[in-house]
Amino acid sequence: MNAREAQVIETFNQIQSALRETPHLLRLGRLFSETVLIETGGNEVYLTFEKGQLVSVAEGPSRKTPWRFALRTDAEALEEFWQARPAPGFHDIFGLVKIGRGRIDGDILSLVKNLRFFKEVMALGRKSEELAA
Amino acid sequence: MSIEPITGCYLTITAGGARRRIYVEEAGQGRPVICLHTAGADSRQWRHLMNDTAITASNRLIAFDMPWHGKSLPPEGFETQEYLLTTEAYIETILAVIEGLGLDRPVLAGCSMGGRIALQLAALHPEKFSGFIAIEASDFQSAWYDIDWFHRPDAHGGEMGAALVSANISPFAPETERWNTLWMFMQSGPGVFRGDLSFYTRDDSLVARLPSIDTSRTPVHIIAGAYDLTCTPEDAERTAKAIPGATLAVMDELGHFPMSEHPEGFRPFFIEALDKMPSAAAAAA
């Protein structure tokens, strides 16, 4: 795992902490109890949610962990996604797909039904506006 | 306390062989400019420009809600119908509103599906208008999503629609206006966004018509935001190249709903577009 991949894990750990302090997202995600696979290159991270809480950030690979949907991208793209003001295409998970830097697999309807929740959880890793200035 | 200069009224027209009660807002005086909203939203997207006195000093901005949208009710019997917007119905509605309001060759400014229909009107009914401002508009794109997601019994189409279109809003947009913009999608009636997207993503009849647009009679100016995933600057550029004489502006820090998501950022681009349109006197000549 290179430094960029390690930073992805670190950012998801920060997202886990931030989500605990974000009541409106815990409310929005109260019906979401699923495991989501994030794949960056050859590395895997499993995000397990229970009623909106991110209860586990587990490094893979794991053939024993079922997941509902997956976002497959690369660490550099996620690094750009987490900038306060990402470049066009890097500003949204569907943008990553559109520009050929991401793929979404699995139960996409599950993602879409919980899209606001999941996109805002992902955006918790975004740098603040002050850092962007 | 303040009172805005926007006024509203209801207009009854006939379209699709039936009466349609249309909600219309306007502000300003001078050259009439019809402002068309995007799919799944309504005329509130134009409220910032309608409150801009520098623009309304010489332009009469008129925005209306399409049937099924905003304060324009769906037609009688809607509960047994599937709403699927068509090019023909859209054009008939716009022309009926213009006739109902007694407008003489207005400028037509439309965003997204409103921009698409503006280009259709530039090809099919240029004599009714003095110029066209096509915002986030292009010849055709198939959907990058499944439009059936937005009308299901087991999910809230408005919440899903808003979450999806948030992908088209620029990170430079002020948070307040981002969420005001998304609210309109959250309020969209069941199946309405899907029905609009059916027109936007499945009707490719404009493509072959683009070369026939005569910009020497009615100018066409296209505006596109760099953060628009649905109508990208590349889509807009391809479309502008297919229309002899069309002009194009790309907004580096804006997305698919510029007049609503970031009114200050959009303002200079809209003023530039208006400047490219014939004056009221020239249009009347």
Side-chain angles (χ1 to χ4, degrees):
Chain A
M1 182 182 296
N2 62 31
R4 268 206 171 101
E5 303 285 354
Q7 184 57 48
V8 168
I9 301 289
E10 176 55 28
T11 302
F12 278 117
N13 285 325
Q14 292 168 9
I15 286 173
Q16 184 179 32
S17 299
L19 180 56
R20 289 192 200 105
E21 309 300 321
T22 312
H24 86 271
L25 281 184
L26 296 176
R27 176 173 52 80
L28 284 174
R30 66 196 182 284
L31 300 179
F32 189 67
S33 298
E34 302 287 359
T35 296
V36 180
L37 167 63
I38 307 291
E39 183 186 310
T40 54
N43 292 291
E44 297 180 350
V45 184
Y46 294 87
L47 310 177
T48 299
F49 294 87
E50 285 185 15
K51 297 179 180 176
Q53 297 269 6
L54 180 50
V55 296
S56 167
V57 177
E59 294 179 47
S62 169
R63 294 186 184 279
K64 296 178 181 176
T65 307
W67 44 269
R68 179 61 62 184
F69 56 84
L71 170 63
R72 304 181 198 277
T73 180
D74 61 85
E76 191 177 0
L78 276 183
E79 185 178 306
E80 178 60 33
F81 174 88
W82 282 320
Q83 297 300 309
R85 285 177 175 164
F90 292 96
H91 65 292
D92 189 272
I93 57 172
F94 285 115
L96 295 175
V97 176
K98 177 104 183 185
I99 64 174
R101 295 291 289 271
R103 200 176 87 202
I104 295 170
D105 290 327
D107 185 351
I108 297 177
L109 187 60
S110 174
L111 164 64
V112 173
K113 283 181 177 178
N114 298 280
L115 189 55
R116 179 180 167 193
F117 170 73
F118 185 70
K119 290 210 303 191
E120 288 192 43
V121 168
M122 287 293 291
L124 288 174
R126 205 154 261 172
K127 292 185 168 63
S128 66
E129 292 289 330
E130 290 72 27
L131 290 174
Chain B
M1 190 186 302
S2 66
I3 296 176
E4 296 183 11
I6 302 171
T7 57
C9 69
Y10 288 92
L11 169 72
T12 299
I13 62 167
T14 299
R19 282 158 47 92
R20 302 276 191 266
R21 185 169 179 258
I22 304 285
Y23 179 66
V24 185
E25 285 187 344
E26 70 169 90
Q29 53 196 345
R31 173 177 56 186
V33 181
I34 293 279
C35 302
L36 302 176
H37 60 74
T38 71
D42 57 63
S43 60
R44 284 175 292 178
Q45 291 178 320
W46 291 96
R47 70 195 183 286
H48 297 286
L49 292 172
M50 296 176 88
N51 276 311
D52 191 319
T53 53
I55 291 172
T56 56
S58 57
N59 293 284
R60 180 185 171 197
L61 300 190
I62 302 161
F64 68 92
D65 296 337
M66 283 287 290
W68 308 74
H69 300 71
K71 294 172 84 169
S72 294
L73 288 170
E76 189 177 330
F78 80 90
E79 67 276 13
T80 62
Q81 298 176 16
E82 181 183 22
Y83 171 69
L84 293 171
L85 181 63
T86 65
T87 296
E88 294 72 26
Y90 201 173
I91 287 176
E92 185 182 10
T93 302
I94 293 167
L95 295 182
V97 168
I98 289 172
E99 184 181 354
L101 295 175
L103 302 178
D104 181 28
R105 298 190 72 214
V107 170
L108 188 63
C111 185
S112 185
M113 74 170 192
R116 173 78 58 78
I117 205 68
L119 296 177
Q120 286 277 19
L121 285 161
L124 298 174
H125 296 282
E127 74 286 353
K128 303 278 190 185
F129 301 90
S130 60
F132 299 91
I133 302 171
I135 305 154
E136 313 308 323
S138 64
D139 48 8
F140 176 71
Q141 306 99 16
S142 55
W144 50 274
Y145 39 76
D146 181 348
I147 68 170
D148 289 334
W149 286 343
F150 307 119
H151 195 201
R152 305 174 55 91
D154 59 344
H156 193 288
E159 290 204 313
M160 292 201 301
L164 185 95
V165 302
S166 70
N168 282 329
I169 295 181
S170 161
F172 290 88
E175 279 296 291
T176 301
E177 299 311 336
R178 166 187 295 274
W179 286 103
N180 280 337
T181 299
L182 293 175
W183 177 247
M184 291 176 225
F185 291 88
M186 293 176 181
Q187 287 188 302
S188 183
V192 173
F193 191 34
R194 172 181 175 271
D196 287 341
L197 292 173
S198 174
F199 155 76
Y200 191 72
T201 63
R202 292 177 178 166
D203 183 336
D204 62 358
S205 64
L206 174 63
V207 176
R209 292 172 180 154
L210 291 174
S212 69
I213 295 174
D214 183 356
T215 57
S216 67
R217 289 179 63 198
T218 48
V220 171
H221 184 61
I222 300 175
I223 309 174
Y227 284 92
D228 186 345
L229 296 180
T230 296
C231 172
T232 65
E234 291 75 24
D235 294 323
E237 185 177 6
R238 178 185 69 242
T239 306
K241 281 183 177 170
I243 305 172
T247 53
L248 170 70
V250 175
M251 306 176 288
D252 290 339
E253 297 185 354
L254 281 83
H256 191 70
F257 314 96
M259 67 287 189
S260 179
E261 72 177 57
H262 196 340
E264 281 304 309
F266 179 58
R267 186 175 185 274
F269 291 94
F270 192 64
I271 290 173
E272 178 192 23
L274 288 172
D275 287 344
K276 290 179 179 293
M277 300 294 116
S279 66

